[in-house]
Amino acid sequence: MVGNKSMAVSSPKELLLPMIVPQKLLMGPGPSNVPPRILAAGALPILGHMHPETLKIMDDIKKGLQYVFQTKNELTFAVSGSGHCGMEAAMMNLIEPGDVILVASNGIWGERIADLGKRLGANVKVLQNPTGVAFSLKQIEQSIHVYKPALFAITHGESSSGVLQPLQGIGNVCHRNDCLFLVDSVASLGGVPMFVDEWGIDAIYSGSQKVLGAPPGTAPISFSQRAISKFKSKKIRVPSFYLDLNHLANYWGCDAGPRRYHHTCPVTNLYQLREGLAMVAEEGLEGCWERHRAAARSLYAGLEKLGLKLFVEDEATRLPTVSAILVPPGTDWKKVVVYVMQKYRIEISGGLGPSAGKVWRIGLMGYNANQDNVKRVLRVLEDGLNHSRTTSRL
């Protein structure tokens, strides 16, 4: 009681009980399991977001991201938010109403980039391929010649269908046609070769929760000098204060001015991203890429023995970090997923967007990309298939 008034909402009984967080093996398209070292970093003492120790951690992250992106871009940092937030930061800062942008779409992430472009008032053109089919350089070049976009966007690792998009040569085509080159690398960064500077990528974003092994909440991002010039020539202000590149560049120490408060960053997430990048640095990028390739090769061989087929037919464009597996005719994909989770506490995911109901998706990312996990997921998938076939006959 407060005076003669009673509380309109009582204390929730649920919050008086312990929180239940079971241990699961996350072999879906992300997030991946977080290594003990990175989990431990999340338990370190909270620091202020402008404390010198925090700013030093941010500086370490910038160097680590330049390494994994393979770029010398000064404007390389991590947005406080998920990979989606990285997408919005790139788009909001580089396009304005009326700009023609061209989006390559062969899965849900291309669809979402196109949707965001429309929300921002851009004149969006879509280069469409069937789900599971990568784009050829010739297709891209022809479309750029037709539409003359200010920006071309493509997804490097299309996690909804398991496609790895070749990027070599696209930057040259874009730059010859006065067009910026934007890449979504959320599902690929760290697990496959990435050379931002060599490939002429002008803007790229990713997520912390996949190969980098950190929890969701930070989005690596990088902008070239071409992208910065485009941003500085914009006629209207960025529609988001939170994602305004002027403020973010200053807060991350990417400009010449003294660092000023912009927002309260997720400090513990920064600790964990820093440790994820440290683990990649210790292993070496090439070693990390090879570990993911080797795990994927073992998975492909095991799937073949089970009589299963990969959704992406072209082996050269299969994404090692997320594999899409065709659901056999007459098989209830969801029954297999639920059975494996309930019996083994192992996550195998269904499709997403255009691939929904057509595939299962198995992720091999970061801490989870090892031969033991490949054997485990193949074993439980086989059991799930047998269970599905047995129960369907009853």
Side-chain angles (χ1 to χ4, degrees):
M1 296 284 290
V2 179
N4 60 354
K5 293 184 178 181
S6 60
M7 303 295 286
V9 179
S10 59
S11 173
K13 294 179 181 178
E14 293 84 356
L15 296 183
L16 305 180
L17 300 172
M19 182 168 58
I20 298 172
V21 183
Q23 182 67 46
K24 298 180 181 181
L25 180 58
L26 306 179
M27 300 299 288
S32 57
N33 289 96
V34 177
R37 170 177 169 179
I38 298 177
L39 284 175
L44 293 172
I46 289 287
L47 294 172
H49 47 282
M50 295 298 292
H51 288 188
E53 298 88 351
T54 301
L55 300 182
K56 171 61 167 63
I57 289 167
M58 294 167 76
D59 290 341
D60 291 351
I61 288 170
K62 287 190 293 182
K63 289 183 172 65
L65 291 178
Q66 286 174 320
Y67 175 59
V68 295
F69 279 132
Q70 282 296 287
T71 182
K72 294 180 180 179
N73 289 341
E74 288 295 325
L75 197 49
T76 301
F77 58 95
V79 180
S80 300
S82 68
H84 262 296
C85 202
M87 178 193 295
E88 298 215 3
M91 297 281 281
M92 284 188 179
N93 283 284
L94 294 182
I95 66 174
E96 50 192 330
D99 279 353
V100 176
I101 69 168
L102 176 63
V103 180
S105 179
N106 57 357
I108 193 169
W109 302 115
E111 291 179 358
R112 293 201 178 178
I113 294 171
D115 177 70
L116 179 57
K118 292 173 184 175
R119 290 169 185 258
L120 294 172
N123 182 2
V124 179
K125 308 296 182 183
V126 177
L127 171 59
Q128 189 76 51
N129 258 11
T131 306
V133 179
F135 297 89
S136 70
L137 186 58
K138 184 177 180 180
Q139 277 183 292
I140 294 167
E141 187 166 17
Q142 288 176 338
S143 294
I144 287 175
H145 284 159
V146 169
Y147 295 116
K148 298 176 175 55
L151 178 144
F152 171 68
I154 199 165
T155 303
H156 188 215
E158 180 49 78
S159 61
S160 67
S161 60
V163 171
L164 176 65
Q165 172 63 46
L167 299 178
Q168 296 92 323
I170 300 175
N172 290 335
V173 170
C174 288
H175 300 157
R176 285 198 304 268
N177 291 275
D178 196 25
C179 170
L180 293 178
F181 181 25
L182 171 64
V183 173
D184 176 324
S185 68
V186 173
S188 60
L189 184 67
V192 296
M194 169 56 68
F195 299 96
V196 166
D197 290 355
E198 183 181 329
W199 292 346
I201 297 169
D202 293 303
I204 185 167
Y205 58 88
S206 191
S208 56
Q209 75 277 16
K210 310 262 185 178
V211 175
L212 300 181
T218 49
I221 198 165
S222 185
F223 297 90
S224 73
Q225 283 301 316
R226 286 187 186 87
I228 294 169
S229 295
K230 165 67 175 177
F231 167 73
K232 289 183 175 179
S233 69
K234 288 181 67 172
K235 298 178 180 64
I236 64 168
R237 298 176 75 189
V238 177
S240 167
F241 175 85
Y242 186 68
L243 299 177
D244 189 320
L245 203 50
N246 281 314
H247 299 301
L248 292 174
N250 173 267
Y251 182 44
W252 277 86
C254 298
D255 64 16
R259 285 156 96 152
R260 299 181 301 274
Y261 166 74
H262 174 240
H263 69 283
T264 303
C265 66
V267 177
T268 52
N269 286 71
L270 296 187
Y271 302 163
Q272 294 175 300
L273 176 58
R274 193 265 185 204
E275 287 303 280
L277 292 166
M279 291 179 71
V280 174
E282 289 166 8
E283 182 178 12
L285 261 179
E286 291 175 308
C288 194
W289 296 339
E290 179 51 38
R291 176 166 56 84
H292 284 81
R293 276 195 297 264
R297 285 194 296 265
S298 297
L299 178 65
Y300 301 161
L303 292 170
E304 187 175 356
K305 288 179 181 177
L306 293 178
L308 295 171
K309 295 182 178 180
L310 287 155
F311 186 63
V312 179
E313 296 179 4
D314 179 10
E315 189 172 350
T317 60
R318 287 175 184 162
L319 178 63
T321 54
V322 182
S323 296
I325 302 138
L326 278 168
V327 176
T331 302
D332 185 337
W333 70 270
K334 191 170 184 179
K335 187 180 290 185
V336 174
V337 168
V338 171
Y339 174 80
V340 167
M341 177 60 78
Q342 290 180 343
K343 184 173 181 180
Y344 298 102
R345 286 189 176 174
I346 294 179
E347 179 188 36
I348 296 173
S349 296
L352 181 66
S355 67
K358 301 175 183 177
V359 302
W360 292 296
R361 292 181 297 154
I362 291 177
L364 296 168
M365 291 178 282
Y367 188 54
N368 291 348
N370 61 65
Q371 298 296 329
D372 286 343
N373 280 343
V374 171
K375 292 173 185 174
R376 286 182 70 184
V377 77
L378 286 169
R379 188 166 60 247
V380 303
L381 178 58
E382 181 179 21
D383 188 24
L385 285 166
N386 291 335
H387 172 77
S388 175
R389 289 163 185 155
T390 301
T391 54
S392 66
R393 290 196 294 265
L394 296 178

